[in-house]
Amino acid sequence: MSCALAIVTHSYYSAYQISYPNIFSMHDTDNDDCAEDHHQPDVEPKGLQPLVITFQKGDSLNRILCENRVSAQEADKIIKAIKRKFGNITFQIGQELTLEFAGSINDIALSKLSFRHLTDAEIVITAQENKQYLVEKKPFLLYKDVRFLSQKLDSSFSVSAKESGVPSKMIRTAILNLGNVVNIKNKNSTDDHFKFLYEVYCDKNGNFVKSGNILYLSIRVKNKEHFLYGFAKDGKNTEYYNHQGECTSIKSSLVRPLDGRVPITSKFNLKGRWHPIKGYKRAHKGVDYGACSGTPVLAAGPGVITQAGYAGGFGNTITITHNSGYKTVYAHLSKIKVKRGQYVKQRHHIGNVGSTGLSTGAHLHYEVLINNKHVNPLSVTKMPNFNLTGTDLNKFKQNIQKIKMEIKSKDAPTVYVTERKL
Ligand SMILES: [Zn+2]
């Protein structure tokens, strides 16, 4: 038996023993009022705690259940019930399973089994009165922690932040937005430091699940201070800005909608070309990328999905409406992974290359429109920038003041944690 299982089993027994004093007190009492209790066949095992078991190398669900008071027959029933609903579930080493029990001392039965599934769901198996098991997927409750670090830079920012427990994804985001200039290894400097206010999402036991947004980051390196602020001008979707409200997280150009070396098989041509299927001359209002079926298609820029569905000759088509009258269109897709009304960030995986609609083979037909007029996607190098202006900029400045006050009240060399339910 593995170490973790041994500990868990031990805690099970200690929980089990806690119920004994209750039984003894009932048996030892002289009080006649308790006479009836003597004849009760069973006593509820009060204090029986749920078991939290960590999945170890070589474990299986069957083994875990059988080692924890579940009969082989019941374990088989549970596993089959899960398989019927969700197919084969694989467990990760270190994953936690919670077992809850009901019944009496002589007849303890598993009442509930639950474990995490993907990042935001939980599979819950509940014993029913008809001796069957109900298998359900429930949203996994996440709790948002806001953490604050104020620290000297003894080595590079990425090393110092990592040592202080900042999730690596967040460190990458910070460097991507501030540039490598903040990540200098500077051992001699005495006043280089960083202040970091950021969000993480944890489970109910406080275990880290995923990174949230950076709220504030200042890095002082080589006598220069660099600032980064997370700000959602629509109240929902956070982008990153410098002190002046200039956006650092969106390239001010549309990016290529496909990764890798993908050839252009047909260029933009408003004058017309022979349509390969229709057999007559017509304009080609976009470019064709000859990518294999299934290749991920990426959002050329951030925006709102204004079309996602089948559109005649275009087959499965997505349209993204960006700011300042810009639109991009992605056609002949094999798969659409977004919904109308959804906001997507630049390079969000929106669908896959296919050959739906009037198409002779797998390719991506890609269009760019400015104020509803088609333009050559290959000539659009600049898009209006995403810097904050007007009321957005005012809101941003107010937000900076709020954050600065928050940091002033928290500024201490230790990690500060506040817990807020999501
Ligand atoms: Zn085309």
Side-chain angles (χ1 to χ4, degrees), residues 266 273 284-289 314 332 363-366:
S266 180
R273 59 154 192 176
H284 188 232
K285 294 177 174 175
V287 287
D288 288 351
Y289 288 100
F314 268 22
H332 307 305
H363 75 284
L364 172 70
H365 173 87
Y366 171 61

Side-chain angles (χ1 to χ4, degrees), residues 190-220:
T190 48
D191 64 344
D192 283 2
H193 65 266
F194 70 93
K195 291 180 185 179
F196 207 166
L197 188 70
Y198 62 97
E199 303 166 336
V200 291
Y201 291 95
C202 298
D203 65 14
K204 58 178 183 263
N205 302 316
N207 299 314
F208 172 82
V209 176
K210 62 175 185 177
S211 304
N213 293 315
I214 294 171
L215 301 176
Y216 169 87
L217 173 62
S218 72
I219 306 179
R220 186 182 173 82

Side-chain angles (χ1 to χ4, degrees), residues 247-255 300-302 346-347 383-386:
C247 188
T248 56
S249 54
I250 304 169
K251 282 195 181 135
S252 62
S253 61
L254 294 171
V255 295
Q346 191 165 46
R347 289 184 51 77
M383 224 181 19
N385 64 50
F386 289 81

